[in-house]
């Protein structure tokens, strides 16, 4: 199947989006009471901004750093980065965009035998420090990092970075880096949800920026349901661009999430043309959007023009790159769309997920393929892709990533694909898990005795695995 874009182009766009400073909408509310705190932290090794979704963490950091003279390396983390080798690759890629690094770092990261803690992290810190100029390294979405290996790697990197380098972390959860000795020594500045909520003056400025008269009553009626939650305020202000609309806020529900959802449904979705409404609901399954991907999901050729229309209309869609190839919906907007689509057209949603899974499989993205294949109820699409990708990922040292793929598939699905089961057996054997390797070898024999899996290459691989296990006792 043709995807309309080469796999290498897809990966490069995603890498660029991942390691570029995000673009924020024009006319943001500047927050000098917070940016002045950040500006005063330049001599500290660590800055932590932590709060739930929608508190303006990324926007605050972008605004601060746009007015800072230091060089900025930005990395937007995701679940794939919860693997020490993958995480260090992402950080290395982000830093390399703004500063030359020792090429041995990247070369070492592709070796399955490399020691992340013993060689990669010290080498990366030394290479960064070889240039005696200030640098800010931002790790956005740090809540994606949970494994002990990754925590150890980031902790060691922070300890080894030179004084002219500041690490900035943004997270939806409390950040363990900020605790203990660093907090006691005053080596970190922390900004949390209580700092990030809008006060009355900022709400008034927000209303003004949307052409709404910021009377004390309107400010109060926005602050009460949202409790200063920036995302809720922004969405409410977006739907109240006139005095008449602002007056329609009415009695605030007890839940800010419910208030935002109700306004999205009644004030945004209700007035859209049917073709736009249909496009939004059918593509809300996608965490990132591109015209070819949307065309594949919708079996259409009009997605590029619809996305352009959405951008012009300001319908809660954000570009991920400078070329207009990739976008994402505002998370809250997308949540409402997905809930409605699942409630009213569950069968269509499953089919759209399967089309997305096939597109991502053709593009070579295992994580996206697994996500959509599972939601569509057919993980065989993901299993077939992992068969193609497992050996390469292992050879590049991404063992934790491979294991995450297999955990997401589950043993039942692996057993349905004897070729994949054989690869899992080899994986266990090569990583020294003899008991698991033998278990899979026995299972493969049972599987192949039941079905038609006598492809020559598979038979050879199965025999080689058996011989390997015998030779290694």
């Amino acid at each position: 199947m043709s995807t309309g874009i080469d796999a290498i182009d897809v990966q490069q766009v995603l890498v660029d989006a991942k390691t570029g400073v995000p673009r924020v909408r024009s006319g943001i509310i500047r927050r000098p009471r917070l940016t002045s705190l950040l500006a005063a932290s330049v001599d500290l090794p660590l800055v932590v901004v932590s709060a739930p979704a929608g508190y303006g963490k990324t926007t605050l950091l972008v605004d601060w750093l746009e007015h800072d003279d230091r060089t900025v390396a930005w990395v937007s983390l995701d679940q794939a980065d919860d693997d020490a080798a993958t995480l260090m690759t992402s950080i290395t890629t982000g830093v390399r965009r703004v500063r030359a690094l020792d090429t041995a770092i990247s070369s070492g990261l592709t070796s399955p035998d490399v020691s992340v803690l013993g060689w990669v992290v010290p080498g990366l810190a030394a290479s960064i420090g070889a240039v005696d100029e200030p640098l800010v390294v931002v790790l956005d979405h740090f809540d994606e990092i949970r494994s002990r290996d990754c925590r150890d790697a980031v902790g060691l990197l922070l300890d080894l970075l030179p004084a002219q380098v500041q690490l900035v972390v943004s997270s939806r959860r409390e950040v363990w880096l900020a605790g203990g000795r660093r907090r006691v020594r005053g080596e970190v500045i922390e900004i949390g949800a209580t700092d990030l909520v809008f006060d009355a003056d900022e709400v008034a400025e927000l209303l003004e920026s949307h052409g709404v008269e910021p009377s004390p009553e309107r400010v109060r009626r926005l602050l009460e349901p949202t409790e200063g939650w920036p995302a809720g305020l922004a969405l409410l202000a977006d739907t109240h661009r006139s005095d008449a609309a602002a007056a329609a806020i009415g009695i605030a529900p007890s839940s800010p999430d419910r208030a935002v959802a109700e306004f999205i449904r009644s004030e945004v979705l209700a007035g859209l043309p049917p073709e736009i409404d249909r496009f939004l609901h059918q593509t809300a399954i996608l965490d990132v959007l591109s015209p070819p991907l949307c065309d594949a999901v919708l079996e259409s050729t009009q997605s590029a023009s619809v996305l352009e229309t959405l951008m012009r209309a300001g319908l809660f869609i954000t570009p991920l790159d400078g070329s207009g190839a990739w976008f994402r919906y505002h998370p809250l907007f997308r949540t409402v769309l997905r809930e409605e689509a699942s409630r009213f057209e569950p069968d269509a949603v499953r089919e759209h997920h399967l089309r997305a899974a096939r597109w991502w499989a053709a593009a070579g993205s295992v994580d996206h393929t697994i996500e959509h294949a599972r939601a569509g109820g057919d993980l065989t699409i993901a299993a077939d892709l992992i068969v193609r990708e497992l050996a390469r990922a292992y050879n590049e040292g991404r063992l934790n990533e491979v294991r995450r793929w297999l955990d997401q598939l589950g043993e039942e699905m692996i057993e349905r694909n004897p070729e994949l089961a054989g690869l899992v057996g080899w994986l266990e054997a090569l990583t020294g898990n003899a008991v698991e390797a033998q278990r899979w070898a026995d299972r493969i024999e049972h599987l192949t005795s039941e079905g038609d899996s006598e492809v020559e290459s598979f038979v050879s691989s199965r025999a080689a695995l058996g011989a390997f296990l015998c030779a290694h006792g």
Side-chain angles (χ1 to χ4, degrees):
M1 181 183 70
S2 173
T3 64
I5 185 169
D6 292 338
I8 190 171
D9 292 335
V10 172
Q11 297 304 321
Q12 188 57 51
V13 167
L14 294 176
V15 167
D16 290 344
K18 185 182 184 69
T19 58
V21 178
R23 297 198 302 176
V24 298
R25 61 189 298 179
S26 59
I28 66 167
I29 306 304
R30 298 213 60 216
R31 313 191 70 185
R33 64 184 176 87
L34 298 178
T35 54
S36 61
L37 289 174
L38 293 169
S41 74
V42 294
D43 293 327
L44 299 178
L46 178 63
V47 172
V48 171
V49 181
S50 59
Y55 275 81
K57 301 180 292 295
T58 300
T59 300
L60 173 66
L61 292 178
V62 171
D63 183 37
W64 164 45
L65 293 171
E66 279 183 348
H67 297 84
D68 193 295
D69 293 333
R70 295 173 295 172
T71 301
V72 177
W74 191 289
V75 184
S76 297
L77 303 173
D78 55 44
Q79 66 171 359
D81 291 302
D82 198 23
D83 172 277
T86 304
L87 174 61
M88 287 301 112
T89 299
S90 295
I91 295 175
T92 300
T93 302
V95 174
R96 185 181 290 110
R97 287 190 65 161
V98 297
R99 176 170 291 186
L101 293 175
D102 185 348
T103 56
I105 304 298
S106 295
S107 300
L109 280 164
T110 62
S111 169
D113 300 323
V114 71
S115 170
V116 172
L117 293 179
W119 188 85
V120 173
V121 174
L124 177 59
S127 187
I128 291 174
V131 179
D132 190 21
E133 295 178 1
L135 174 69
V136 181
V137 179
V138 180
L139 302 182
D140 201 7
H141 308 300
F142 194 71
D143 45 284
E144 298 285 2
I145 303 306
R146 304 182 185 187
S147 73
R148 170 55 61 184
D149 288 348
C150 287
R151 290 164 65 111
D152 290 345
V154 175
L156 179 60
L157 180 64
L158 178 57
D159 287 339
L160 296 179
L161 285 172
Q164 71 269 24
V165 180
Q166 184 177 57
L167 183 65
V168 177
V169 168
S170 171
S171 174
R172 291 185 178 183
R173 297 182 178 87
E174 184 177 358
V175 176
W176 44 269
L177 276 174
R181 57 185 172 86
R182 294 187 180 94
R183 187 175 288 145
V184 171
R185 294 175 182 174
E187 297 175 348
V188 56
I189 180 172
E190 299 174 78
I191 292 179
T194 55
D195 305 303
L196 290 164
V197 295
F198 273 32
D199 59 23
D201 291 338
E202 290 166 332
V203 173
E205 186 178 350
L206 179 68
L207 286 170
E208 278 190 325
S209 71
H210 285 77
V212 178
E213 179 64 29
S215 68
E217 177 62 13
R218 287 199 185 107
V219 169
R220 182 187 66 79
R221 295 174 77 179
L222 276 177
L223 268 176
E224 284 185 357
T226 62
E227 296 182 342
W229 179 43
L233 287 165
L235 284 170
L236 290 173
D238 274 341
T239 61
H240 291 85
R241 295 179 180 273
S242 68
D243 285 350
I249 291 177
I251 302 300
S254 59
S255 167
D257 289 338
R258 189 180 305 124
V260 171
E262 288 176 356
F263 271 98
I264 288 175
R265 293 188 181 102
S266 63
E267 302 294 337
V268 180
L269 299 178
L272 292 177
E275 64 274 14
I276 298 296
D277 181 83
R278 187 163 51 251
F279 181 93
L280 290 170
H281 282 89
Q282 292 177 344
T283 57
I285 63 167
L286 304 171
D287 57 353
V288 292
L289 308 98
S290 73
L293 174 55
C294 292
D295 279 346
V297 169
L298 304 179
E299 296 185 332
S300 165
T301 59
Q302 304 300 315
S303 298
S305 62
V306 176
L307 288 168
E308 185 179 348
T309 298
L310 296 179
M311 280 294 297
R312 287 199 305 266
L315 270 176
F316 309 124
I317 186 170
T318 302
L320 293 177
D321 60 3
S323 63
W326 289 88
F327 306 86
R328 69 167 177 84
Y329 292 131
H330 188 291
L332 301 173
F333 187 54
R334 180 181 173 225
T335 295
V336 174
L337 294 170
R338 291 180 67 183
E339 288 176 352
E340 290 196 345
S342 296
R343 185 164 63 252
F344 296 120
E345 295 186 298
D347 293 338
V349 168
R350 283 189 288 272
E351 176 58 30
H352 294 149
H353 273 296
L354 292 178
R355 293 174 188 170
R358 296 184 191 104
W359 191 94
W360 280 113
S365 174
V366 177
D367 286 307
H368 282 100
T369 302
I370 292 174
E371 174 191 353
H372 290 292
R374 174 182 287 109
D378 185 5
L379 277 169
T380 58
I381 302 169
D384 291 341
L385 176 59
I386 293 174
V387 167
R388 302 200 305 267
E389 295 291 327
L390 188 149
R392 180 168 65 87
Y394 170 77
N395 288 333
E396 292 176 355
R398 295 183 284 133
L399 180 59
N400 285 352
E401 189 173 354
V402 170
R403 292 199 182 281
R404 189 183 72 249
W405 296 344
L406 299 174
D407 287 343
Q408 290 175 332
L409 277 188
E411 286 200 6
E412 181 180 350
M413 179 53 59
I414 295 172
E415 290 178 355
R416 294 182 189 176
N417 189 316
E419 189 173 2
L420 178 56
L423 289 172
V424 173
W426 270 110
L427 178 69
E428 300 295 0
L430 293 173
T431 53
N433 298 324
V435 173
E436 280 298 296
Q438 186 62 59
R439 185 174 71 86
W440 278 108
D442 294 341
R443 188 64 186 135
I444 293 164
E445 289 293 337
H446 179 67
L447 290 170
T448 52
S449 67
E450 294 179 337
D452 181 19
S453 300
E454 299 302 314
V455 178
E456 182 178 351
S457 62
F458 172 73
V459 173
S460 299
S461 176
R462 181 185 64 189
L465 175 59
F468 179 90
L469 291 172
C470 289
H472 291 77

